[in-house]
Short mmCIF file of all heavy atoms in Angstrom, two decimals:
data_model
loop_
_atom_site.label_atom_id
_atom_site.label_comp_id
_atom_site.label_asym_id
_atom_site.label_seq_id
_atom_site.Cartn_x
_atom_site.Cartn_y
_atom_site.Cartn_z
N ARG A 1 13.16 -6.27 -14.83
CA ARG A 1 12.52 -7.46 -14.26
C ARG A 1 12.13 -7.27 -12.81
O ARG A 1 11.20 -7.89 -12.34
CB ARG A 1 13.46 -8.67 -14.39
CG ARG A 1 13.63 -9.13 -15.82
CD ARG A 1 14.41 -10.38 -15.90
NE ARG A 1 15.67 -10.18 -15.22
CZ ARG A 1 16.63 -11.10 -15.12
NH1 ARG A 1 16.45 -12.27 -15.65
NH2 ARG A 1 17.74 -10.84 -14.52
N LEU A 2 12.82 -6.41 -12.10
CA LEU A 2 12.52 -6.17 -10.67
C LEU A 2 11.25 -5.37 -10.46
O LEU A 2 10.50 -5.66 -9.54
CB LEU A 2 13.68 -5.44 -10.01
CG LEU A 2 14.92 -6.24 -9.73
CD1 LEU A 2 16.03 -5.32 -9.23
CD2 LEU A 2 14.64 -7.30 -8.70
N VAL A 3 11.01 -4.37 -11.28
CA VAL A 3 9.87 -3.47 -11.05
C VAL A 3 8.55 -4.22 -11.05
O VAL A 3 7.76 -4.06 -10.13
CB VAL A 3 9.88 -2.29 -12.04
CG1 VAL A 3 8.58 -1.50 -11.98
CG2 VAL A 3 11.08 -1.38 -11.76
N PRO A 4 8.27 -5.09 -12.02
CA PRO A 4 6.99 -5.83 -11.95
C PRO A 4 6.88 -6.74 -10.72
O PRO A 4 5.79 -6.85 -10.14
CB PRO A 4 6.97 -6.67 -13.26
CG PRO A 4 7.88 -5.95 -14.17
CD PRO A 4 8.95 -5.35 -13.27
N VAL A 5 7.98 -7.34 -10.30
CA VAL A 5 7.94 -8.18 -9.10
C VAL A 5 7.64 -7.33 -7.88
O VAL A 5 6.82 -7.69 -7.03
CB VAL A 5 9.26 -8.97 -8.93
CG1 VAL A 5 9.28 -9.73 -7.62
CG2 VAL A 5 9.46 -9.94 -10.10
N LEU A 6 8.32 -6.20 -7.77
CA LEU A 6 8.07 -5.30 -6.65
C LEU A 6 6.62 -4.78 -6.69
O LEU A 6 5.98 -4.69 -5.63
CB LEU A 6 9.04 -4.12 -6.69
CG LEU A 6 10.48 -4.45 -6.29
CD1 LEU A 6 11.41 -3.35 -6.76
CD2 LEU A 6 10.60 -4.66 -4.80
N ALA A 7 6.13 -4.47 -7.84
CA ALA A 7 4.76 -3.97 -7.97
C ALA A 7 3.76 -5.04 -7.56
O ALA A 7 2.82 -4.76 -6.82
CB ALA A 7 4.48 -3.52 -9.41
N LEU A 8 3.97 -6.27 -8.02
CA LEU A 8 3.07 -7.36 -7.62
C LEU A 8 3.11 -7.59 -6.13
O LEU A 8 2.07 -7.74 -5.47
CB LEU A 8 3.45 -8.65 -8.36
CG LEU A 8 2.67 -9.90 -7.97
CD1 LEU A 8 1.18 -9.74 -8.28
CD2 LEU A 8 3.24 -11.12 -8.70
N LEU A 9 4.30 -7.57 -5.56
CA LEU A 9 4.42 -7.77 -4.12
C LEU A 9 3.72 -6.67 -3.35
O LEU A 9 2.97 -6.95 -2.41
CB LEU A 9 5.91 -7.83 -3.75
CG LEU A 9 6.16 -8.17 -2.31
CD1 LEU A 9 5.78 -9.62 -2.05
CD2 LEU A 9 7.59 -7.96 -1.96
N ALA A 10 3.93 -5.43 -3.74
CA ALA A 10 3.27 -4.32 -3.05
C ALA A 10 1.76 -4.44 -3.14
O ALA A 10 1.04 -4.20 -2.16
CB ALA A 10 3.74 -2.98 -3.64
N ALA A 11 1.25 -4.84 -4.31
CA ALA A 11 -0.20 -4.97 -4.45
C ALA A 11 -0.77 -6.09 -3.60
O ALA A 11 -1.82 -5.95 -3.01
CB ALA A 11 -0.56 -5.19 -5.92
N THR A 12 -0.08 -7.21 -3.55
CA THR A 12 -0.63 -8.35 -2.84
C THR A 12 -0.50 -8.26 -1.34
O THR A 12 -1.24 -8.90 -0.60
CB THR A 12 0.01 -9.68 -3.33
OG1 THR A 12 1.42 -9.59 -3.16
CG2 THR A 12 -0.34 -9.94 -4.78
N LEU A 13 0.43 -7.46 -0.87
CA LEU A 13 0.64 -7.34 0.57
C LEU A 13 0.08 -6.06 1.17
O LEU A 13 0.20 -5.84 2.37
CB LEU A 13 2.13 -7.46 0.89
CG LEU A 13 2.79 -8.78 0.55
CD1 LEU A 13 4.27 -8.70 0.89
CD2 LEU A 13 2.15 -9.91 1.28
N SER A 14 -0.53 -5.23 0.36
CA SER A 14 -1.02 -3.92 0.82
C SER A 14 -2.15 -4.06 1.83
O SER A 14 -3.05 -4.85 1.66
CB SER A 14 -1.52 -3.10 -0.36
OG SER A 14 -2.08 -1.90 0.10
N ALA A 15 -2.10 -3.23 2.86
CA ALA A 15 -3.17 -3.20 3.86
C ALA A 15 -3.85 -1.83 3.90
O ALA A 15 -4.52 -1.51 4.85
CB ALA A 15 -2.58 -3.52 5.23
N ALA A 16 -3.68 -1.03 2.84
CA ALA A 16 -4.24 0.33 2.85
C ALA A 16 -5.74 0.30 2.61
O ALA A 16 -6.27 -0.61 1.97
CB ALA A 16 -3.54 1.16 1.74
N PRO A 17 -6.50 1.28 3.12
CA PRO A 17 -7.94 1.34 2.94
C PRO A 17 -8.32 1.71 1.50
O PRO A 17 -7.50 2.25 0.77
CB PRO A 17 -8.38 2.43 3.92
CG PRO A 17 -7.18 3.29 4.06
CD PRO A 17 -5.99 2.38 3.93
N ALA A 18 -9.57 1.43 1.12
CA ALA A 18 -9.99 1.59 -0.26
C ALA A 18 -10.83 2.83 -0.48
O ALA A 18 -11.97 2.74 -0.94
CB ALA A 18 -10.76 0.34 -0.69
N HIS A 19 -10.30 4.00 -0.17
CA HIS A 19 -11.03 5.21 -0.49
C HIS A 19 -10.04 6.33 -0.74
O HIS A 19 -8.97 6.38 -0.13
CB HIS A 19 -12.02 5.58 0.60
CG HIS A 19 -11.45 5.63 1.98
ND1 HIS A 19 -10.77 6.70 2.47
CD2 HIS A 19 -11.42 4.69 2.95
CE1 HIS A 19 -10.36 6.45 3.71
NE2 HIS A 19 -10.73 5.23 4.02
N PRO A 20 -10.34 7.27 -1.68
CA PRO A 20 -9.40 8.32 -2.01
C PRO A 20 -9.31 9.39 -0.95
O PRO A 20 -10.28 9.69 -0.27
CB PRO A 20 -9.96 8.89 -3.33
CG PRO A 20 -11.41 8.57 -3.28
CD PRO A 20 -11.55 7.29 -2.49
N GLN A 21 -8.12 10.00 -0.85
CA GLN A 21 -7.91 11.12 0.05
C GLN A 21 -6.90 12.07 -0.54
O GLN A 21 -6.06 11.65 -1.35
CB GLN A 21 -7.32 10.67 1.40
CG GLN A 21 -8.15 9.69 2.18
CD GLN A 21 -7.44 8.39 2.31
OE1 GLN A 21 -6.38 8.32 2.87
NE2 GLN A 21 -8.02 7.36 1.80
N ALA A 22 -6.98 13.32 -0.15
CA ALA A 22 -5.97 14.28 -0.57
C ALA A 22 -4.67 14.05 0.20
O ALA A 22 -3.59 14.18 -0.36
CB ALA A 22 -6.46 15.70 -0.34
N ALA A 23 -4.78 13.72 1.46
CA ALA A 23 -3.60 13.39 2.29
C ALA A 23 -3.97 12.11 3.06
O ALA A 23 -5.14 11.75 3.15
CB ALA A 23 -3.30 14.54 3.24
N LEU A 24 -2.97 11.49 3.61
CA LEU A 24 -3.25 10.23 4.33
C LEU A 24 -4.03 10.54 5.60
O LEU A 24 -3.58 11.31 6.45
CB LEU A 24 -1.95 9.50 4.66
CG LEU A 24 -1.17 8.97 3.49
CD1 LEU A 24 0.07 8.21 3.98
CD2 LEU A 24 -2.01 8.10 2.60
N ASP A 25 -5.17 9.89 5.75
CA ASP A 25 -5.93 10.00 6.97
C ASP A 25 -5.38 8.99 7.97
O ASP A 25 -4.49 8.21 7.62
CB ASP A 25 -7.42 9.80 6.70
CG ASP A 25 -7.75 8.40 6.20
OD1 ASP A 25 -6.90 7.48 6.29
OD2 ASP A 25 -8.87 8.20 5.70
N PRO A 26 -5.87 8.98 9.21
CA PRO A 26 -5.33 8.06 10.21
C PRO A 26 -5.43 6.58 9.80
O PRO A 26 -4.48 5.81 10.02
CB PRO A 26 -6.18 8.34 11.45
CG PRO A 26 -6.58 9.76 11.29
CD PRO A 26 -6.80 9.94 9.80
N ALA A 27 -6.52 6.17 9.15
CA ALA A 27 -6.66 4.77 8.74
C ALA A 27 -5.62 4.40 7.66
O ALA A 27 -5.02 3.34 7.70
CB ALA A 27 -8.07 4.51 8.24
N SER A 28 -5.39 5.31 6.72
CA SER A 28 -4.40 5.09 5.68
C SER A 28 -2.99 5.05 6.27
O SER A 28 -2.19 4.20 5.90
CB SER A 28 -4.48 6.17 4.60
OG SER A 28 -5.73 6.15 3.95
N SER A 29 -2.73 5.98 7.18
CA SER A 29 -1.43 6.00 7.81
C SER A 29 -1.18 4.71 8.59
O SER A 29 -0.09 4.15 8.53
CB SER A 29 -1.32 7.20 8.78
OG SER A 29 -1.32 8.41 8.05
N GLN A 30 -2.21 4.25 9.30
CA GLN A 30 -2.07 2.99 10.04
C GLN A 30 -1.88 1.82 9.10
O GLN A 30 -1.06 0.95 9.34
CB GLN A 30 -3.29 2.74 10.92
CG GLN A 30 -3.16 1.47 11.74
CD GLN A 30 -4.37 1.24 12.63
OE1 GLN A 30 -5.26 2.08 12.75
NE2 GLN A 30 -4.39 0.08 13.24
N GLY A 31 -2.66 1.76 8.02
CA GLY A 31 -2.53 0.70 7.02
C GLY A 31 -1.13 0.69 6.42
O GLY A 31 -0.53 -0.38 6.24
N LEU A 32 -0.61 1.87 6.07
CA LEU A 32 0.73 1.96 5.53
C LEU A 32 1.76 1.49 6.55
O LEU A 32 2.65 0.72 6.21
CB LEU A 32 1.03 3.41 5.07
CG LEU A 32 2.45 3.64 4.56
CD1 LEU A 32 2.76 2.76 3.36
CD2 LEU A 32 2.63 5.12 4.23
N ALA A 33 1.62 1.95 7.78
CA ALA A 33 2.56 1.54 8.83
C ALA A 33 2.58 0.02 9.01
O ALA A 33 3.65 -0.60 9.14
CB ALA A 33 2.24 2.25 10.16
N GLU A 34 1.40 -0.60 9.00
CA GLU A 34 1.30 -2.05 9.14
C GLU A 34 1.93 -2.76 7.96
O GLU A 34 2.61 -3.77 8.13
CB GLU A 34 -0.16 -2.47 9.30
CG GLU A 34 -0.78 -2.08 10.61
CD GLU A 34 -2.28 -2.33 10.67
OE1 GLU A 34 -2.84 -2.96 9.77
OE2 GLU A 34 -2.90 -1.86 11.65
N THR A 35 1.70 -2.23 6.77
CA THR A 35 2.30 -2.84 5.57
C THR A 35 3.82 -2.74 5.60
O THR A 35 4.52 -3.70 5.33
CB THR A 35 1.74 -2.19 4.30
OG1 THR A 35 0.32 -2.36 4.28
CG2 THR A 35 2.34 -2.79 3.05
#
């Protein structure tokens, strides 16, 4: 029961950018840090 709640929360609160990368670029790193 916890996993879907955690997944929903992570999805709704995410601040990560919307483009694919092989490694985290500065914008992704910043978005992750803010989240």
Side-chain angles (χ1 to χ4, degrees):
R1 290 187 304 181
L2 285 172
V3 170
V5 174
L6 287 163
L8 175 62
L9 186 69
T12 57
L13 296 178
S14 175
H19 51 84
Q21 300 116 61
L24 294 183
D25 65 14
S28 296
S29 293
Q30 181 180 353
L32 176 60
E34 290 171 9
T35 300

